[in-house]
């Protein structure tokens, strides 16, 4: 162990991505929204005008007075990781970074004019060096994409919704916007996970970090394959009632569920897009102004169509069946909600052409 509290690991060279555009690693839904926003005339001016209403200055003063600012003399190991992450992703201005006393593992990147990265002591104490490197890369990815702006707006609107909760229509309008922002932000978290992998360049460290965030510092009790199997079970098990419950569970969250993040990152790490970036083939930042909004939306729509087609979630499978022209909508909905389709199939197999009694209908084939 070093005096930083992290396990000492062999130094190694990591690939650098000069001039990389955040479009290289952004999730299709995240990318299409960002490209569209960047194309809006006067968008930056409007958001800077909002800065007078947003609590950004207050947050900066709060972190400055109540947290520890990372630098060469305070948390120097985190300072080195931050500079390294900015070097790899070619982010010219290194954001300020703070360590906040909080036992709950967490990290965030906020700010309108200049991003601020905040990590909690719970996270610093939980992760080893390579796992923490992926987290720092994750937050630098947020900064490079400009996510900090929208995260700050989301925090402001969430607080505003609480203050005007007594106004029925006002609260409904704000919460609708908050819900939409949360859905976008969940996709932006998948983008930032990819940025973290590009910085750390160690998929096993990224997986370990997500597992620790889910289950604590008990790696000897956990297994990556079993953890990813949980994501598979979460997606494919149950009926339409479970699909609806999944939607209701995720709506108030700003982050996707941890097993889902791990599965998505593992899938992307095995994708040819990731390998092309590692080989030096990626979109450049100086090309962002020429990025097509329509192309980005087409890619996003194509991604969602593929997701529906390949998903094992009962609701998504039903949507795919209906989109494919499958008939008997009422029957399919009934079977999906009640599980009757599976029971009927088992019943006919078990009956074997017999009397078709109620007992025979539930009997499993031998």
């Amino acid at each position: 162990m070093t005096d930083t509290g992290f396990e000492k690991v062999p130094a190694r060279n990591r690939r650098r991505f000069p001039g990389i555009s955040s479009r290289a690693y952004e999730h299709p839904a995240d990318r299409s929204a960002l490209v569209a926003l960047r194309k809006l005339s006067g968008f930056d001016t409007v958001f800077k005008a909002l800065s007078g209403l947003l609590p950004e200055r207050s947050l900066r003063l709060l972190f400055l007075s109540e947290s520890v600012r990372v630098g060469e003399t305070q948390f120097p190991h985190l300072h080195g990781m931050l500079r390294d992450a900015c070097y790899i992703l070619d982010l010219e201005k290194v954001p300020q970074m703070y360590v906040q006393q909080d036992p709950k593992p967490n990290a965030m990147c906020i700010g309108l004019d200049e991003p601020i990265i905040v990590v909690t002591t719970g996270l610093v104490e939980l992760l080893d060096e390579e796992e923490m490197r992926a987290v720092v890369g994750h937050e630098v990815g947020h900064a490079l994409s400009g996510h900090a702006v929208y995260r700050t707006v989301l925090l402001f609107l969430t607080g505003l919704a609480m203050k005007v909760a007594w106004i029925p229509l006002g609260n409904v309008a704000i919460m609708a916007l908050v819900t939409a922002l949360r859905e976008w932000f969940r996709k932006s978290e998948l983008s930032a996970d990819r940025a973290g992998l590009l910085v750390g360049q160690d998929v096993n460290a990224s997986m370990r970090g997500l597992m620790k965030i889910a289950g604590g510092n008990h790696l000897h009790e956990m297994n990556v394959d079993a953890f990813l199997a949980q994501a598979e079970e979460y997606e494919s098990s149950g009926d339409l009632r479970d699909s609806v419950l999944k939607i209701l569970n995720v709506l108030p969250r700003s982050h996707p569920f941890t097993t889902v993040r791990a599965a998505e990152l593992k899938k992307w790490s095995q994708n040819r897009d990731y390998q092309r970036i590692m080989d030096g083939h990626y979109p450049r930042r100086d090309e962002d102004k020429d990025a097509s909004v329509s192309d980005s939306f087409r890619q996003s729509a194509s991604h969602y169509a593929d997701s529906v087609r390949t998903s094992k979630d009962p609701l998504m499978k039903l949507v795919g069946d209906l989109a494919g022209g499958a008939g008997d909508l009422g029957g399919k909905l009934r079977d999906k909600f009640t599980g009757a389709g599976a029971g009927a199939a088992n019943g006919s197999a078990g009956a074997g052409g017999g009397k078709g009694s109620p007992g025979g209908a539930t009997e499993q084939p031998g």
Side-chain angles (χ1 to χ4, degrees), residues 35-344:
V35 168
L37 287 172
R38 289 165 186 155
K39 289 285 185 179
L40 285 179
S41 177
F43 175 75
D44 289 339
T45 304
V46 171
F47 266 87
K48 289 189 185 299
L50 276 175
S51 63
L53 301 174
L54 299 173
E56 181 178 10
R57 294 178 67 88
S58 175
L59 287 172
R60 288 181 183 277
L61 289 172
L62 181 63
F63 290 128
L64 190 63
S65 62
E66 285 288 326
S67 304
V68 176
R69 184 163 60 193
V70 171
E72 293 181 357
T73 57
Q74 299 190 116
F75 291 97
H77 57 291
L78 292 179
H79 182 62
M81 285 184 200
L82 177 61
R83 291 179 63 86
D84 190 46
C86 292
Y87 177 73
I88 289 173
L89 294 180
D90 201 14
L91 186 64
E92 292 183 7
K93 189 166 185 178
V94 179
Q96 287 190 358
M97 185 175 184
Y98 291 89
V99 176
Q100 183 180 49
Q101 171 61 31
D102 187 342
K104 185 176 180 179
N106 197 14
M108 61 180 174
C109 181
I110 57 174
L112 287 176
D113 293 320
E114 296 181 8
I116 303 173
I117 295 174
V118 182
V119 297
T120 64
T121 51
L123 189 69
V124 174
E125 293 163 4
L126 177 66
L127 304 182
D128 69 24
E129 182 171 352
E130 293 306 298
E131 295 157 8
M132 193 69 198
R133 189 182 301 278
V135 170
V136 172
H138 174 111
E139 300 306 327
V140 170
H142 276 315
L144 182 59
S145 287
H147 292 154
V149 172
Y150 316 116
R151 176 62 182 267
T152 306
V153 173
L154 177 58
L155 289 172
F156 170 72
L157 289 175
T158 302
L160 182 62
M162 298 292 291
K163 293 176 182 177
V164 300
W166 60 276
I167 307 176
L169 292 180
N171 186 48
V172 168
I174 293 174
M175 285 310 299
L177 183 54
V178 167
T179 299
L181 274 172
R182 279 178 178 157
E183 168 58 18
W184 161 76
F185 199 80
R186 286 190 290 271
K187 295 300 185 291
S188 77
E189 286 298 309
L190 300 179
S191 299
D193 282 343
R194 297 174 179 184
L197 179 57
L198 290 176
V199 167
Q201 298 174 24
D202 183 347
V203 68
N204 291 326
S206 294
M207 292 293 108
R208 292 198 311 268
L210 289 169
M211 287 171 62
K212 283 185 175 180
I213 290 171
N217 194 15
H218 304 282
L219 273 180
H220 61 289
E221 298 284 355
M222 293 184 276
N223 177 275
V224 172
D225 292 336
F227 190 66
L228 293 173
Q230 288 181 225
E232 173 81 10
E233 181 180 346
Y234 172 78
E235 181 186 9
S236 60
S237 64
D239 52 32
L240 279 186
R241 291 168 295 187
D242 297 291
S243 296
V244 173
L245 289 174
K246 292 175 193 176
I247 294 171
L248 294 176
N249 284 340
V250 82
L251 278 179
R253 294 175 60 92
S254 62
H255 288 57
F257 292 116
T258 315
T259 56
V260 174
R261 288 174 62 185
E264 286 283 340
L265 186 59
K266 183 73 173 179
K267 187 189 306 180
W268 189 70
S269 72
Q270 298 169 339
N271 190 291
R272 63 184 179 88
D273 292 339
Y274 171 70
Q275 193 54 56
R276 282 179 57 81
I277 296 174
M278 294 302 294
D279 290 339
H281 305 294
Y282 50 81
R284 261 58 177 183
R285 213 168 299 160
D286 56 11
E287 302 166 351
D288 283 349
K289 62 183 182 300
D290 300 320
S292 167
V293 176
S294 58
D295 286 348
S296 297
F297 275 114
R298 274 196 294 270
Q299 291 171 10
S300 179
S302 175
H303 168 80
Y304 276 113
D306 289 342
S307 297
V308 170
R309 187 174 62 253
T310 60
S311 176
K312 297 179 182 178
D313 179 80
L315 179 59
M316 291 300 100
K317 288 174 70 175
L318 176 62
V319 170
D321 288 347
L322 296 176
D328 189 18
L329 173 59
K332 282 186 174 293
L333 283 172
R334 182 190 65 245
D335 291 348
K336 291 285 186 181
F337 266 108
T338 63

